[in-house]
Amino acid sequence: MRLPVYLYGHPVLRRKCDNIEEPSDELTALVEDMFRTMYESDGVGLAAPQIGKSIRLVVIDGQPVADRCPECEGLKLTLINPEIEMLEGEQVTRPEGCLSLPGLSEDVKRVERLRLTWRDTDWTEHTREFEGFAARIILHETDHLEGILYVDRISPIRKQLIRNKLNAIARGDTMPDYPARVAPTARKRR
Ligand code: NI
C-alpha cells in the first residue's frame, strides 16, 4: 500500500523516535509499504516519521543514483534501530533533497564515512561501514529519527532565504505530485 508522505511543518517530523522492541508481521508489512511509497515518490530513502510513525525504521535504495555514486550500487537496506558507531573523514558539502520538503534542494555539509549497526526484519544484527553518498543518505535518514531535517543543517542565511518556501510547504500551499499530508493545524489560504 502506498502511504502519504508527511510534509515539513507536521509535528511528527520533529519527534525523537522510539526503538522497535521486536520483529512482527506488521513491521514487515510496513517496510514493504515504505519501499513502495519511496519508489513511487522517486526517493532514495524514507524514514518512518515521514509516513507518520515515530519509530526507529528507515528504508534506503540508492540504485537510482548509482550511475553518479558507485557506492550506491546495490545499496538496498532496511534499518531497524540503527546506531551510528563511528563517524570519520572530511566534511563534504553536497546538495540534498527530502520527500518531506518538496521542491527544495540545499547544500549540506556531512562527514564522508561512518560505521552503522542495525537490525533487519528477521532481527539479524548487522554492522557495516559506508562512505560517500551512501553515508550521506544514512546520515540524512537517521537524522529523521532524531527529529532533525536537513534544513536544520544549512547556514542561517540560506535558511532565511528559503523561509517563504518552507512556510508555503507547512501551510499546504506547495504540494508534491505524490500523496502527502500537512499538519492538521496548517492554515489553508485557498
Ligand atoms: Ni528526508
Side-chain angles (χ1 to χ4, degrees):
M1 186 175 57
R2 185 178 187 170
L3 305 167
V5 175
Y6 286 55
L7 300 186
Y8 176 85
H10 199 290
V12 74
L13 295 176
R14 292 311 195 174
R15 256 174 242 150
K16 193 167 154 55
C17 293
D18 296 323
N19 262 321
I20 296 169
E21 299 298 333
E22 56 186 11
S24 66
D25 292 344
E26 290 77 13
L27 182 63
T28 303
L30 180 65
V31 167
E32 281 174 27
D33 288 347
M34 283 178 64
F35 270 111
R36 180 162 177 201
T37 302
M38 178 180 73
Y39 290 138
E40 294 187 1
S41 314
D42 293 323
V44 293
L46 187 69
Q50 297 183 276
I51 48 96
K53 304 248 183 228
S54 201
I55 55 175
R56 296 183 68 81
L57 170 63
V58 163
V59 298
I60 289 170
D61 192 333
Q63 200 58 45
V65 295
D67 54 337
R68 286 174 283 141
C69 312
E71 62 275 20
C72 290
E73 180 72 43
L75 183 80
K76 185 177 178 182
L77 298 169
T78 300
L79 307 178
I80 297 170
N81 301 339
E83 295 286 346
I84 295 164
E85 305 288 345
M86 174 276 283
L87 289 168
E88 66 172 33
E90 307 242 324
Q91 297 255 347
V92 177
T93 301
R94 289 184 78 166
E96 293 186 20
C98 180
L99 293 177
S100 294
L101 291 146
L104 284 181
S105 173
E106 293 290 327
D107 280 341
V108 182
K109 205 188 272 186
R110 298 192 192 267
V111 299
E112 58 182 358
R113 257 193 314 283
L114 62 86
R115 185 166 62 242
L116 191 77
T117 297
W118 72 96
R119 289 186 186 273
D120 62 24
T121 49
D122 297 325
W123 220 242
T124 306
E125 195 169 45
H126 301 264
T127 300
R128 200 176 132 190
E129 291 187 13
F130 297 91
E131 59 179 25
F133 203 71
R136 178 172 293 271
I137 296 171
I138 288 166
L139 289 170
H140 176 117
E141 299 307 331
T142 52
D143 264 357
H144 274 298
L145 305 183
E146 306 297 330
I148 298 168
L149 301 171
Y150 80 84
V151 288
D152 303 335
R153 298 194 181 278
I154 66 177
S155 74
I157 289 173
R158 275 309 302 170
K159 193 155 187 182
Q160 197 55 42
L161 287 170
I162 63 169
R163 175 56 58 194
N164 289 343
K165 289 179 179 173
L166 292 173
N167 289 343
I169 295 169
R171 277 196 309 264
D173 289 339
T174 303
M175 295 298 280
D177 58 5
Y178 40 86
R181 191 167 287 178
V182 292
T185 52
R187 184 164 45 85
K188 291 264 183 183
R189 292 189 303 188
R190 276 174 268 113

